Amino acid sequence: MITNESVPGSPCWLDLGTPDVSGAAAFYSAVLGWDYESMGQDAEGGMFRKDGKTVAGIGKLTEEGARSAWMIYYCVSDADATTQAVRSAGGTVRVAPMDLDDWGRMAQYSDPSGGQFAVWQPGTNKGVELVDKPGSLSWTELYTSDAAAAKEFYGGVFGWQFGDMELPGGGGTYSLITPAGLPEERMHGGLMEVREQDLALTGGRPYWHPVFAVTDCDAAVAAVTENGGSVQMGPEDAEGVGRLAVCLDPSNADFVVLTPAQG
């Protein structure tokens, strides 16, 4: 369960880097019911809102050679200390810690295998205002070709607790992630080992993606394809989880839509 309580090690923000801000704004509005609010006439980006509450950010993709993707930010109490922990664990600092006015302090990294993620040290801005509801972030997920290495790295950096479960039908092991010191009902994500050839989106590197809750997975998938996106997997039912589909937006940024199981 994701909350917006600024719990260290839990997801608290996400933003989309895209070559087409206006096109992405129209796409996510159609799929998730979001409203786009520009940061200003000269700004190439802004905020997504759902029912008046901030659910994500969006900006023009500027990094040369980068793919369009969602960046997930995890809450930390000290971005500088986290940066040292990332370096000590073999990760790479992509964007050094920097202040965004009095909103907070952010940094971006790559794990030792190349998976990209970020952190947010809250100031006046605690992060997204709506989570775990239809049209908002409800889970985060890492696909990696080396789950053991990922657990060692992220466990060292964030203190995450991991619980393994076997997927039905010999689908492999899925590792559930819970912030340090919190009970299992506060788990916020998972990581899954896949083959390198299954990581074609990133040329074999691990990648994180967001899972968005929706009231009707099939309707959301129909909206994805009707608005220029595509579906990598699903919709399909996952026992005890719900009905889900792995999707790509028109610029090939990946995300999941999930109608949670009832009860």
Side-chain angles (χ1 to χ4, degrees):
M1 177 181 179
I2 294 177
T3 72
N4 50 10
E5 296 175 2
S6 300
V7 174
S10 65
C12 62
W13 181 254
L14 69 163
D15 54 38
L16 175 68
T18 178
D20 182 5
V21 171
S22 61
F27 173 82
Y28 288 99
S29 174
V31 174
L32 297 173
W34 288 353
D35 297 312
Y36 171 61
E37 182 179 304
S38 173
M39 293 289 282
Q41 200 166 25
D42 298 327
E44 293 187 293
M47 301 292 180
F48 283 121
R49 302 191 193 280
K50 174 76 172 177
D51 300 329
K53 296 182 178 181
T54 304
V55 289
I58 180 174
K60 181 84 169 179
L61 191 64
T62 57
E63 185 177 346
E64 188 174 345
R67 76 178 186 98
S68 182
W70 283 98
M71 179 70 71
I72 299 171
Y73 293 70
Y74 293 95
C75 181
V76 295
S77 57
D78 187 334
D80 296 270
T82 302
T83 297
Q84 290 302 317
V86 166
R87 287 194 175 111
S88 297
T92 303
V93 179
R94 300 179 59 249
V95 178
M98 59 183 289
D99 291 322
L100 297 180
D101 296 323
D102 60 351
W103 286 7
R105 191 163 172 80
M106 61 83 72
Q108 295 185 356
Y109 315 108
S110 294
D111 68 27
S113 299
Q116 297 182 359
F117 66 106
V119 297
W120 180 251
Q121 178 184 328
T124 58
N125 188 322
K126 306 303 181 187
V128 292
E129 297 171 333
L130 184 70
V131 291
D132 215 30
K133 302 289 184 185
S136 68
L137 182 70
S138 65
W139 193 253
T140 64
E141 200 165 56
L142 174 69
Y143 288 170
T144 177
S145 58
D146 192 339
K151 287 183 189 178
E152 182 176 359
F153 173 79
Y154 290 102
V157 170
F158 292 121
W160 285 346
Q161 306 165 113
F162 298 98
D164 291 346
M165 58 178 284
E166 295 303 314
L167 296 174
T173 302
Y174 192 87
S175 299
L176 300 163
I177 303 169
T178 305
L182 292 185
E184 284 188 359
E185 57 261 29
R186 293 298 298 273
M187 65 179 60
H188 63 253
L191 66 86
M192 183 173 174
E193 184 166 296
V194 297
R195 303 170 304 170
E196 269 195 40
Q197 54 264 44
D198 295 326
L199 301 171
L201 273 178
T202 53
R205 297 192 313 275
Y207 58 90
W208 287 94
H209 59 212
V211 178
F212 298 116
V214 293
T215 54
D216 186 331
C217 179
D218 294 77
V221 166
V224 165
T225 56
E226 289 166 5
N227 288 276
S230 58
V231 180
Q232 286 192 303
M233 183 194 80
E236 63 182 40
D237 295 315
E239 185 178 352
V241 176
R243 188 162 176 80
L244 59 87
V246 182
C247 305
L248 298 176
D249 71 16
S251 296
N252 287 336
D254 54 299
F255 64 99
V256 175
V257 290
L258 167 69
T259 301
Q262 298 300 310

